Structures are given as structure tokens and as C-alpha cells.
Amino acid sequence: MRNFNEENITGAVLAAVRQGSSSRDRQVSEAVVRHLHAFVQELRPTQDEWRKAIDFLTETGKYCSATRQEFILLSDALGVSMLVDAINHNNDEGSTPTTVLGPFYYDASELMPLGSNIANTPSGDLMHVEGRVRRANGEPIQGAVVEVWHADHDGFYDVQLCEGHDLLDRRAAFRTDDSGRFWFRSRVPLHYPIPADGPVGRMLETQGRHPNRPAHVHFMITAADCEQLVTHVFLEGDPYLDSDVVFGVKDGLIVKLVDHAAGETRDGHLLECAMAVLHYDFVLADG
Ligand code: BEZ
Ligand code: FE
């Protein structure tokens, strides 16, 4: 193995990486080599351009911390996260459409009593959120764990505002009742920019793109014998629904936030004063 040039190096590297033990590992290594070599052949970078590409990835790694995942952001902003999502979910059985997890989830939400207020800071209008969780055959799911998280009215998630995971704000988990219902109080979220002060932000600028996501509430729903659902509910009328920086919007996930008078909601919960109501029913695919 010597004297490689543009014509023979790709074949030599492919032969070298075929020695791995698992066939999936070999498939992955071969695809990386084929696509990476084709990318370089197409672009014919100068040495300086290649160093800048390596610097970009190095900086992306350096931006990662306990509260920031710049590589997920990169995957999201290049539409790769939604491509992986599309490959893995077809919603054939009428289950709720899926979308990106995003970088602000963490597995630490407290189980709270149904009806709790999850907004510990006062920005944004009051919002009542309610809905039901069902199986594809229509049966309500009792005891499903509904994890929710969303940004505040200034566009920040709690993890961005404090060290570690000390202050839960607009983030919680609930268990559905015996009719599959969940409900809680929060504050209306606004559209917000993804963190754009790092390498991904610079990339967006170079590409002439804005960094915004339309207003949404994240849901992760887990129940026995069902596929875990990772999705968001988007608010109708948001100016960024058609240009979400991470390509995450699907028609079936957009709902109208309704101005509701004091009184009983569709799911039978009592509002003590007028407020916005977000109602969404989820369908989990069979596991
Ligand atoms: C989010 O909605 O939290 C999010 C998703 C992808 C990238 C950045 C933020
Ligand atoms: Fe989000």
C-alpha cells in the first residue's frame, strides 16, 4: 500500500476499512469513506480551506457543554435530524407525527400532579394545556408519562439560564389519568432563535438564513407497548412556521391557541379566569 494518488486512494481506503468485524460497522465505514472522498473530489479544497473545515468541527466540539450541544444543533440546522426522524417514522397507523428532539431535553423532569403550573417565571400570557393520549385503536392510555418542555417568553430554556439543571421552569412530567387525560398550566411561548453565537450561527449567516424556530411546546410521551413519541405542538399563526431553521414543522402538529372564557374546557377542567387554551390529543404507535 504505497504511492496513492487521486485515482487509487479511495479504493485503497475502502479495502482497508472492510476488515472490521460487524457488517454494519463495515457498511458505515465504507459509506463514510465513499461520501467523504466524493465530497472532497467535488469541492477540490485548498489546504487552507480544509484546515478551516477542521477548525469549524473543532470549534463545534468546543462549544459543547452540559447545557449546550452544538453537534445536535448542526445536525438540526442541516436537516439531518429531520431526515433521520423521517426514515424512522412513517405514521402509517394514524399516530401523531414526530419531530426533532432538539438539544434542550434532559431526563430530569419531576413527575408533577396533573393541573400543576410549570411556569416558575412570569413572562408570557397564562396558558392552559390539555389533551388525551390514545393508542392507534382509539383506546385511552392510562399512566402514560407525558414530558413537556418549552422556552420562556424571551426565547430561552431553563437549562440556558442556569448552571446545571437546578431550576425547572416550563419543564415537567405528568402521568395521564384513567381516561388518558393530561393537563397543566404554563405561559404562552414565543418563537425564538436557536443559539446562534457559535459555529452553527456563523454557518447560518453564511448561508443567508435566519436562526428562528416557530413557537412550540415539546412533548415526549412514553407508555407500555407503544413506541415512544417525540414531537412538538406548534402555535397556528406563527410567522416562522414556513421557515423553521430546523425543518421540524408538520401540518398535523399545528394547533390554534384559543382565547377561552372562565369556565369549563372541552376536557372538563375549570378555568378560574379567561386564558389561552392549547388542546391536543396524541396517538401513540403500537410498540
Ligand atoms: C428546540 O426546539 O428546542 C430546538 C430544536 C432544534 C435545535 C435547537 C432548538
Ligand atoms: Fe424548542
Side-chain angles (χ1 to χ4, degrees):
M1 298 230 292
R2 293 186 186 174
N3 305 322
F4 297 115
N5 56 34
E6 247 189 73
E7 275 66 50
N8 63 15
I9 189 158
T10 304
V13 179
L14 282 173
V17 302
R18 282 190 189 116
Q19 297 164 56
S21 50
S22 127
S23 68
R24 183 62 170 168
D25 286 349
R26 272 202 301 277
Q27 192 184 12
V28 170
S29 294
E30 283 187 36
V32 166
V33 171
R34 269 190 288 108
H35 289 280
L36 202 50
H37 282 227
F39 172 81
V40 171
Q41 289 277 11
E42 179 183 329
L43 291 178
R44 308 192 71 73
T46 61
Q47 298 279 2
D48 191 45
E49 284 175 325
W50 191 242
R51 190 189 46 74
K52 283 187 179 142
I54 304 275
D55 287 349
F56 174 79
L57 292 176
T58 306
E59 206 191 342
T60 301
K62 285 185 180 163
Y63 261 78
C64 294
S65 69
T67 55
R68 178 146 177 182
Q69 229 305 351
E70 197 74 0
F71 274 112
I72 296 185
L73 216 52
L74 183 59
S75 160
D76 293 340
L78 290 175
V80 180
S81 302
M82 280 309 290
L83 178 58
V84 173
D85 176 75
I87 287 167
N88 285 281
H89 302 101
N90 57 22
N91 307 115
D92 271 356
E93 301 166 312
S95 52
T96 301
T98 49
T99 190
V100 281
L101 176 66
F104 299 122
Y105 171 77
Y106 65 90
D107 181 13
S109 298
E110 283 171 13
L111 261 181
M112 292 176 84
L114 287 162
S116 298
N117 171 29
I118 69 168
N120 292 318
T121 50
S123 69
D125 291 338
L126 269 181
M127 170 175 76
H128 171 87
V129 182
E130 64 176 28
R132 289 172 195 254
V133 182
R134 296 194 174 88
R135 293 184 197 282
N137 67 7
E139 239 176 64
I141 305 179
Q142 176 185 4
V145 175
V146 178
E147 291 175 79
V148 298
W149 67 104
H150 67 87
D152 67 15
H153 212 252
D154 299 315
F156 293 108
Y157 283 80
D158 53 4
V159 281
Q160 297 175 280
L161 296 175
C162 63
E163 278 295 304
H165 298 151
D166 303 336
L167 170 76
L168 291 183
D169 187 23
R170 293 154 163 91
R171 180 185 303 271
F174 300 95
R175 251 184 217 288
T176 52
D177 72 3
D178 52 10
S179 308
R181 298 182 307 171
F182 66 88
W183 66 100
F184 62 91
R185 291 284 165 82
S186 192
R187 300 233 168 210
V188 176
L190 249 195
H191 50 77
Y192 66 88
I194 64 171
D197 57 341
V200 173
R202 275 207 326 276
M203 177 190 79
L204 292 173
E205 226 174 272
T206 309
Q207 294 169 342
R209 297 165 63 193
H210 70 69
N212 297 307
R213 299 217 63 208
H216 58 273
V217 178
H218 292 258
F219 287 86
M220 181 187 279
I221 306 184
T222 311
D225 306 321
C226 293
E227 264 183 38
Q228 186 179 58
L229 174 68
V230 175
T231 196
H232 330 335
V233 172
F234 294 94
L235 305 187
E236 192 179 293
D238 190 283
Y240 295 108
L241 283 171
D242 287 312
S243 63
D244 180 9
V245 66
V246 305
F247 308 95
V249 180
K250 294 177 179 174
D251 283 340
L253 296 174
I254 302 172
V255 293
K256 189 171 164 50
L257 197 58
V258 175
D259 289 329
H260 200 291
E264 222 173 80
T265 66
R266 196 161 128 194
D267 270 354
H269 307 298
L270 189 64
L271 305 184
E272 64 284 6
C273 59
M275 68 181 79
V277 171
L278 190 162
H279 185 115
Y280 195 90
D281 293 333
F282 295 92
V283 178
L284 303 198
D286 294 336

